[in-house]
Amino acid sequence: EMVLKMIAFGLGLPGFPKNEFYEGYFRDGWNWLDFIIVVVGWVTELQSDGTNLSALRAMRVFRVLKGVAKVGGMRVLVESLAEAGPALCNVLALLSFFLVMFSIVGVQLFTGVLNRRCYTPDIVSNATYNTTYYNLDEAQESRCDAKGS
């Protein structure tokens, strides 16, 4: 699809002729997004030297945004959300303030609650893995020593 649009619309870069109906593929931000997604997909699929490109594979999430360009109403919604972003900075600042304040209060309220509590190991084994879970020993009335007994 990307290559067909490049042929039909022209590239739109300096030095390339403009189409009479459309100025070029790279003049639209949505086409840039489409180009980046396709190139990243090619790079992650064609690499064969064992390089870990999982961060680039995460960019495939943006394929959903390709559909936004095709649906007119969705495009208007995304653009209005982008315009509302700066106005939401004050809300984000207030939210972070409350999050920090409640975090500090929570740490102060629960300091030492689980200090010297005993946890008994519960070993779970099956054919594929061995895992150890630690369960709080509710039956113990006194505190444990530093060794956990």
Side-chain angles (χ1 to χ4, degrees):
E1 175 191 3
M2 179 187 73
V3 174
L4 290 176
K5 284 175 88 174
M6 284 180 177
I7 292 170
F9 298 142
L11 292 178
L13 297 173
F16 286 93
K18 293 181 181 179
N19 188 335
E20 62 185 68
F21 301 109
Y22 192 78
E23 293 185 3
Y25 181 79
F26 288 111
R27 302 249 186 219
D28 187 16
W30 293 101
N31 288 338
W32 271 103
L33 178 67
D34 185 34
F35 175 76
I36 291 170
I37 291 169
V38 170
V39 169
V40 166
W42 283 348
V43 167
T44 58
E45 289 298 324
L46 297 178
Q47 65 90 17
S48 61
D49 59 353
T51 309
N52 186 7
L53 297 177
S54 60
L56 288 178
R57 286 190 185 112
M59 296 270 303
R60 292 180 183 177
V61 171
F62 293 114
R63 285 184 181 172
V64 174
L65 291 178
K66 284 173 53 175
V68 171
K70 297 191 184 343
V71 180
M74 287 294 289
R75 188 175 190 166
V76 171
L77 285 174
V78 170
E79 288 174 354
S80 64
L81 282 174
E83 290 176 13
L88 292 174
C89 286
N90 292 333
V91 175
L92 183 63
L94 185 66
L95 178 68
S96 341
F97 172 75
F98 280 112
L99 184 65
V100 167
M101 294 309 297
F102 280 106
S103 300
I104 292 170
V105 169
V107 166
Q108 292 300 318
L109 285 176
F110 295 108
T111 300
V113 170
L114 296 176
N115 189 23
R116 302 276 182 145
R117 295 293 303 263
C118 286
Y119 292 86
T120 57
D122 183 17
I123 299 172
V124 177
S125 298
N126 71 16
T128 57
Y129 64 91
N130 293 326
T131 305
T132 303
Y133 296 102
Y134 291 93
N135 297 320
L136 181 62
D137 189 4
E138 298 285 343
Q140 186 174 9
E141 294 178 9
S142 63
R143 292 183 178 250
C144 296
D145 59 5
K147 295 176 189 170
S149 57

